[in-house]
Amino acid sequence: MQAWYKKFSSQPHQPFFVSGILFFILFMMLFTASYSNILTLDNSVSTFHAYPMVFVIFIQFFLGFLFVVFPRFLIQAEIAIKEYMNQFLLYFISSLGIFLSLIFFPKITFLFQIMMFFAQVLSFKLLYSIHKKSIVKVKEDTKWVLISFFAGLVFHILFIISTLEFPFSFELSKFSINGGFYLFIFMVIFVISQRMIPFFTTAKAPNYIANKSANLLIIVFSLLAFKVVLLSFDNVKLNLLADIPLFIVITRELIKWKLPFFKVPAIMWVLYLGLYWIPFAFLISIIEGAMAFIDPSIIFEKAVIHTMALGYFLTVLVGFGTRVILGHSGTTPHANNFAIFIFIVIQVIALLRIFTAFSINFGFDYTFFINLTAILLIIGLLVWSSKYLTILLKGK
């Protein structure tokens, strides 16, 4: 047991990826059980679905990655095993507490949410200390990870406050979820993507140079902050003011990068594909805003957020995850037929979720399609885990 623990804890991504994938599956099962009327939950969908996705699950995956790359970006010593394992245990206990309390005793869920918030404060402090100590001259990317992470802490505590019953608590809950989604999770993943995807590309196509815009991150963050404010007005027409410039900025940026799709192996073009889901999501949001002028009766449901979450977040997560797991276990990172199949399945699930959002307009059974999408996602995650989780659990 001691030998296994030593291997399991030897690299930060191992425990955090395991926790992330486990709770991703469990919370999706909880979501499906609720929508199938197998379980009756006292809480709203924002508490048992949106909150875990934004503040519990995705961050654990990307922290596992950040704890590996932050010291490398900043030429600092690796993080001590004891330090990241203590944090992992806090995340694991908090996640399990949130999951079980939602089912059995929802009145104490907020206690585990506070514990999760405390774990994230520790993670922020750790990453900030590495950033501060470093004498590397260019620290732009790590600075923006920290800004996004700090925004996440602000929106996380606002969400916890919103669980108390008071006037405008619902509005505060919605604001904190929107803020957490765009300025925390999206920005953290976007900062990592724009740093690592071009870097990984140069390893496969040595002559490639990404023609990145100097002020990309501040422009995107500012426009997303504007979007979060506009979302508070609950008027999709107003969203156009942020969505159109976001679509233009990100589309233009991706064109400028000239990503070499046909000169790199499958594990790279999967990551490229993930990036292209971003402008597609903003395009859907633009169409939603425009249709509000033409025919306000057309329902878009949560198409935009799920295009981003399943198309971009999940594709990049599995792409990075597969690469890191293979690369750090002594195996050459490559996408075999199994990995390519999983990536294709994710794209199909993302498209099915978009279809589900629009299915209401055609009189289709929305509940059936939402459950179908969730079940397929759970199966996809289980199939991916069957191969890669075993590598993580064995350790190096």
Side-chain angles (χ1 to χ4, degrees):
M1 187 69 181
Q2 196 173 356
W4 169 80
Y5 181 81
K6 194 175 178 182
K7 284 184 178 180
F8 175 64
S9 61
S10 63
Q11 300 174 101
H13 71 277
Q14 291 175 204
F16 281 92
F17 281 16
V18 168
S19 184
I21 197 75
L22 172 66
F23 288 106
F24 199 162
I25 292 166
L26 286 175
F27 277 105
M28 284 309 303
M29 285 178 169
L30 187 64
F31 174 83
T32 310
S34 173
Y35 266 71
S36 307
N37 292 321
I38 295 167
L39 262 181
T40 303
L41 301 174
D42 292 348
N43 299 88
S44 66
V45 70
S46 65
T47 305
F48 69 78
H49 182 58
Y51 171 82
M53 293 299 155
V54 174
F55 295 110
V56 177
I57 293 162
F58 280 113
I59 190 58
Q60 293 191 60
F61 282 105
F62 287 96
L63 269 178
F65 189 74
L66 286 171
F67 284 167
V68 173
V69 299
F70 235 67
R72 293 181 185 182
F73 288 170
L74 297 164
I75 315 177
Q76 293 290 298
E78 289 182 1
I79 299 167
I81 291 173
K82 188 179 178 183
E83 190 155 18
Y84 65 71
M85 285 307 289
N86 284 345
Q87 287 196 25
F88 156 71
L89 289 170
L90 254 183
Y91 278 96
F92 187 85
I93 294 163
S94 307
S95 304
L96 187 61
I98 291 167
F99 177 76
L100 293 175
S101 66
L102 282 170
I103 301 170
F104 301 109
F105 200 42
K107 286 181 180 176
I108 65 163
T109 302
F110 80 98
L111 294 174
F112 294 104
Q113 290 174 338
I114 291 167
M115 191 187 291
M116 177 63 73
F117 173 76
F118 177 65
Q120 288 171 7
V121 169
L122 292 179
S123 299
F124 175 81
K125 280 182 70 180
L126 175 57
L127 294 173
Y128 178 70
S129 69
I130 297 168
H131 177 87
K132 198 175 176 184
K133 277 182 215 165
S134 174
I135 55 168
V136 170
K137 284 185 179 178
V138 181
K139 299 196 279 187
E140 194 69 7
D141 293 333
T142 53
K143 179 188 83 176
W144 280 103
V145 167
L146 290 168
I147 290 169
S148 309
F149 209 123
F150 184 77
L153 295 177
V154 172
F155 290 115
H156 195 167
I157 199 68
L158 287 176
F159 183 87
I160 294 169
I161 292 167
S162 78
T163 59
L164 306 169
E165 289 298 321
F166 61 91
F168 306 114
S169 60
F170 173 74
E171 286 78 7
L172 184 62
S173 165
K174 212 168 78 165
F175 175 69
S176 56
I177 290 293
N178 287 331
F181 184 86
Y182 286 107
L183 294 176
F184 173 39
I185 291 299
F186 176 88
M187 270 307 292
V188 166
I189 298 172
F190 185 69
V191 175
I192 296 170
S193 300
Q194 62 84 45
R195 169 73 181 245
M196 296 309 297
I197 292 175
F199 173 75
F200 288 152
T201 301
T202 54
K204 302 294 181 184
N207 297 325
Y208 174 76
I209 297 170
N211 184 24
K212 288 198 282 185
S213 300
N215 298 314
L216 176 67
L217 296 177
I218 191 167
I219 292 167
V220 171
F221 187 88
S222 302
L223 287 171
L224 288 173
F226 183 40
K227 180 175 175 66
V228 170
V229 172
L230 292 174
L231 284 166
S232 304
F233 292 99
D234 221 3
N235 183 344
V236 293
K237 294 175 186 175
L238 290 174
N239 297 346
L240 289 167
L241 297 171
D243 290 332
I244 292 170
L246 277 163
F247 174 76
I248 293 168
V249 166
I250 293 173
T251 304
R252 180 175 169 271
E253 189 66 23
L254 291 178
I255 292 167
K256 272 181 70 181
W257 288 9
K258 294 180 181 173
L259 294 164
F261 267 89
F262 304 107
K263 294 179 183 177
V264 293
I267 201 160
M268 285 309 307
W269 57 251
V270 162
L271 293 173
Y272 300 165
L273 183 64
L275 287 173
Y276 279 92
W277 278 102
I278 306 172
F280 185 56
F282 286 121
L283 180 62
I284 292 174
S285 198
I286 290 167
I287 295 166
E288 182 179 11
M291 288 307 294
F293 288 98
I294 302 162
D295 187 355
S297 67
I298 294 175
I299 298 164
F300 280 70
E301 202 242 339
K302 301 286 183 189
V304 178
I305 277 182
H306 287 98
T307 301
M308 203 78 81
L310 291 171
Y312 175 45
F313 295 1
L314 191 56
T315 301
V316 168
L317 186 156
V318 173
F320 275 144
T322 303
R323 185 186 173 86
V324 171
I325 291 164
L326 292 174
H328 287 257
S329 62
T331 311
T332 304
H334 71 286
N336 56 18
N337 290 338
F338 175 84
I340 292 168
F341 171 72
I342 293 295
F343 292 131
I344 292 167
V345 167
I346 289 167
Q347 311 316 302
V348 171
I349 291 168
L351 290 169
L352 181 59
R353 183 61 185 85
I354 296 165
F355 171 78
T356 301
F358 293 110
S359 67
I360 306 164
N361 299 292
F362 305 110
F364 295 147
D365 188 340
Y366 170 79
T367 305
F368 168 77
F369 282 109
I370 204 87
N371 281 328
L372 176 64
T373 309
I375 290 164
L376 287 176
L377 177 57
I378 292 164
I379 293 169
L381 292 170
L382 286 169
V383 171
W384 184 84
S385 300
S386 69
K387 177 157 187 172
Y388 296 106
L389 200 65
T390 50
I391 299 172
L392 291 169
L393 287 168
K394 281 178 190 172
K396 191 174 176 182

